[in-house]
Amino acid sequence: EIFLASKHSAFVKLSPDSHLSEEKEKAEAERVKAYREKIGEDGLKKAEEELQALKKMQNAEDTPEALATIPVLDLKYINPETEKIPFEKISHKGTEVLYHEIETKGILYMTLYFDTGAMSEEELISLTVASRFMGRLATEKKSALEVINAIKINLGTFSVSVDTYSSLDNREKVGTKLRVSFSALKKNINNAFSLVGEILNETKFDKMDKIDNSSRGFFCIIRPNIRRGN
């Protein structure tokens, strides 16, 4: 009850230590020096002999008897046909939907794709930044904390990103899509779609200062090299 009803969250900030590598190397050198002094010359000689014996054993070819003990799966037990995932094309309000009838233990998985082919390179970079913060900022109806809690309550997973895709017919033709993926229990599906729609259409980007500085430190922008077709 305590954990499930908690409305608190935490950000963890990781600060790099520029001297950590040097300290580790120094500590390792001191450990090796102390161990060498402990075992003496006779111990070092014995360790070297054991090391050479180990290398010889590792590089030696296995005997036919040893190879015979390795279990082998015969090809006749492997289905030569690839697994076919069932799908059905459904038209919903003019949009094509691919529906997969697969047992998922009562969890529904959705992926939405939005075409970004008309966007310029600079607009794609801005969209990439915006997608990074969707689900973490306030909307027209909810505060940032309420959005985060609503995601925890109604969704199993949620992610937004700008991805690149190539055509099956022409691998040289590359395009981008805004991908929105989320999952939810079947009983929560209506709330899930409503929440995702609110995040996509009503997120307020005028409160960027509310984003914790520690989360900004781990984000970088990679300018995509986009191929444009005719």
Side-chain angles (χ1 to χ4, degrees):
E1 292 179 0
I2 293 175
F3 287 110
L4 294 178
S6 174
K7 296 182 179 181
H8 301 282
S9 60
F11 287 102
V12 178
K13 182 176 181 180
L14 304 179
S15 300
D17 184 351
S18 60
H19 302 292
L20 181 61
S21 179
E22 296 177 4
E23 293 174 356
K24 285 186 174 181
E25 290 179 0
K26 182 179 178 180
E28 178 65 12
E30 292 176 352
R31 187 189 70 81
V32 172
K33 181 180 178 181
Y35 184 72
R36 284 176 173 270
E37 292 176 352
K38 179 180 178 181
I39 64 177
E41 292 297 327
D42 292 340
L44 287 174
K45 183 178 179 181
K46 181 179 179 181
E48 179 63 26
E49 292 174 351
E50 292 177 348
L51 177 60
Q52 294 303 323
L54 176 61
K55 288 182 177 180
K56 183 178 180 181
M57 181 188 69
Q58 291 175 332
N59 295 327
E61 293 186 4
D62 293 321
T63 63
E65 293 77 13
L67 292 174
T69 63
I70 300 176
V72 178
L73 181 63
D74 196 287
L75 287 177
K76 66 181 181 181
Y77 296 109
I78 301 177
N79 190 345
E81 300 293 332
T82 58
E83 181 182 3
K84 294 181 179 180
I85 299 177
F87 76 93
E88 179 183 355
K89 288 185 179 181
I90 302 173
S91 180
H92 179 72
K93 296 183 179 180
T95 300
E96 185 177 74
V97 179
L98 298 183
Y99 174 69
H100 305 278
E101 183 67 44
I102 300 175
E103 174 55 45
T104 55
K105 306 300 182 182
I107 301 175
L108 302 182
Y109 296 85
M110 278 68 60
T111 303
L112 312 177
Y113 295 95
F114 298 90
D115 187 26
T116 58
M119 285 187 164
S120 66
E121 185 174 336
E122 293 301 322
E123 288 173 333
L124 281 174
I125 292 175
S126 298
L127 181 61
T128 301
V129 176
S131 66
R132 174 67 174 81
F133 295 108
M134 287 184 179
R136 301 174 62 190
L137 294 175
T139 65
E140 297 293 339
K141 300 184 182 71
K142 296 181 179 65
S143 67
L145 181 59
E146 288 173 335
V147 170
I148 293 173
N149 285 334
I151 290 175
K152 292 179 179 178
I153 293 172
N154 297 286
L155 304 179
T157 58
F158 176 73
S159 66
V160 183
S161 63
V162 176
D163 296 343
T164 57
Y165 298 89
S166 61
S167 172
L168 290 175
D169 301 328
N170 183 3
R171 292 295 184 180
E172 294 298 317
K173 185 178 180 181
V174 179
T176 59
K177 303 283 186 183
L178 176 67
R179 181 182 62 82
V180 181
S181 297
F182 61 99
S183 63
L185 293 174
K186 188 175 182 179
K187 65 178 182 180
N188 293 335
I189 193 61
N190 291 332
N191 292 338
F193 270 107
S194 177
L195 176 59
V196 171
E198 180 181 337
I199 293 173
L200 293 178
N201 296 304
E202 302 179 32
T203 293
K204 298 171 66 175
F205 292 97
D206 58 340
K207 301 294 184 181
M208 293 295 289
D209 58 310
K210 299 298 183 182
I211 292 292
D212 187 86
N213 288 331
S214 63
S215 65
R216 289 183 179 181
F218 295 101
F219 182 66
C220 65
I221 301 174
I222 300 176
R223 185 182 297 271
N225 181 19
I226 300 174
R227 296 178 179 266
R228 298 193 179 276
N230 296 327

